[in-house]
Amino acid sequence: MRLYEVLFIIAPNTEEGDINTLINQISDVATNQGATIAKLDRMGRRKLAYPIKKFHEGHYVVLTIEGTGAEIAEIERRMRVIDAIIRYLTVRIDEDLKRADKFRARRAARAAARAPRTSRRPGAPMAIEVEEIIEEEDEE
Amino acid sequence: MSSDQRNDRGSRQGGQGGGRRFVRARKSCKFCAEKIDYIDYKDARMLSSFVPERGKIQPRRISGTCSTHQRMLAAAIKRGRNAAILPFATD
């Protein structure tokens, strides 16, 4: 299963009730296709960095969807048709998150490897003792 | 004689002998320092610190970001542009 982040921007002139039905509609499409909604994040009204369809503001909604990819195609097809959605962007995030986990694990491993070496310092003289024994053997 | 040599070296360290005078503080990767593994394209405030006025992506030689993080950052900025979080260009 893959994790997708579907971001879409709803036109600022849509009413609150319509926004809710729109979000439900989109998430229903995903669940009907066998995907699960991992997270729904309503970022709210934001200023756009540049005008889209002559709008300067928009309601940002981020859906985190776990699925196969087929439902993403369906969602995007629907979003393209709906006029109230002025922009959408889908990003696959599972690989990036896995990579982030790998980095985190490697850092943890490095920290763990560094810690015992410093704590072993009290035991360091042991190595010197071994060397001395070897030298004595050589003399004999 | 040995003291002469030492004096000579001392003056060069003082920066009078020409050559490399400006030793700039070493730049460091902000993301490595803060242990950030994933750069989110929706974080406008964080991204905008790497996007100068004109809307371009700040080069590594200025920000000091490491190559791994610069690649992640560039991808995030480009996504942010498509999501109207960051501008493509400003004038």
Side-chain angles (χ1 to χ4, degrees):
Chain A
M1 284 303 223
R2 298 165 177 182
L3 251 190
Y4 293 95
E5 217 172 57
V6 182
L7 174 137
F8 52 97
I9 308 173
I10 303 169
N13 55 7
T14 30
E15 282 168 41
E16 192 64 30
D18 291 341
I19 292 171
N20 287 330
T21 52
L22 210 56
I23 294 168
N24 286 334
Q25 198 184 320
I26 299 289
S27 47
D28 280 349
V29 171
T31 47
N32 286 342
Q33 301 263 328
T36 49
I37 309 290
K39 212 172 121 194
L40 166 64
D41 180 18
R42 295 185 58 164
M43 290 166 77
R45 214 181 164 93
R46 276 181 59 113
K47 216 174 140 18
L48 302 175
Y50 49 87
I52 301 174
K53 290 188 179 170
K54 292 179 182 167
F55 293 121
H56 290 273
E57 280 183 328
H59 294 276
Y60 277 71
V61 182
V62 181
L63 273 174
T64 311
I65 295 171
E66 196 182 348
T68 53
E71 64 289 326
I72 298 298
E74 181 59 27
I75 286 171
E76 291 201 335
R77 199 178 307 132
R78 295 285 179 91
M79 286 197 291
R80 221 172 291 141
V81 174
I82 300 165
D83 284 332
I85 293 177
I86 55 174
R87 183 60 59 94
Y88 62 83
L89 178 72
T90 310
V91 176
R92 188 180 163 185
I93 56 167
D94 56 334
E95 285 176 332
D96 289 344
L97 291 179
K98 209 194 281 169
R99 192 157 168 247
D101 280 340
K102 207 174 86 184
F103 283 144
R104 209 169 297 132
R106 197 189 297 165
R107 190 162 49 231
R110 209 178 299 151
R114 201 175 297 150
R117 205 170 296 158
T118 47
S119 65
R120 209 182 292 153
R121 191 147 281 174
M126 264 187 59
I128 295 163
E129 278 174 17
V130 172
E131 273 179 286
E132 280 171 359
I133 291 161
I134 293 165
E135 272 175 15
E136 279 170 15
E137 279 174 352
D138 280 346
E139 277 171 11
E140 280 175 60
Chain B
M1 205 185 124
S2 61
S3 68
D4 263 346
Q5 272 184 327
R6 212 181 296 144
N7 269 343
D8 192 41
R9 207 177 290 154
S11 69
R12 203 174 292 164
Q13 274 180 335
Q16 306 234 325
R20 284 157 41 103
R21 259 193 81 178
F22 297 103
V23 182
R24 222 170 250 121
R26 201 170 168 179
K27 283 172 246 167
S28 64
C29 177
K30 190 200 163 207
F31 298 103
C32 287
E34 292 185 18
K35 292 177 180 164
I36 295 168
D37 299 311
Y38 178 67
I39 300 176
D40 189 9
Y41 69 94
K42 298 186 294 299
D43 191 350
R45 207 186 309 150
M46 188 275 291
L47 292 177
S48 61
S49 63
F50 292 92
V51 178
E53 239 171 285
R54 199 64 214 268
K56 293 182 172 186
I57 299 171
Q58 191 166 45
R60 232 150 71 64
R61 74 184 127 86
I62 304 212
S63 61
T65 316
C66 75
S67 58
T68 314
H69 282 120
Q70 180 73 10
R71 255 180 278 129
M72 287 160 75
L73 179 69
I77 289 172
K78 286 167 187 174
R79 281 172 185 170
R81 281 173 181 168
N82 279 303
I85 290 164
L86 293 170
F88 278 102
T90 41
D91 41 28

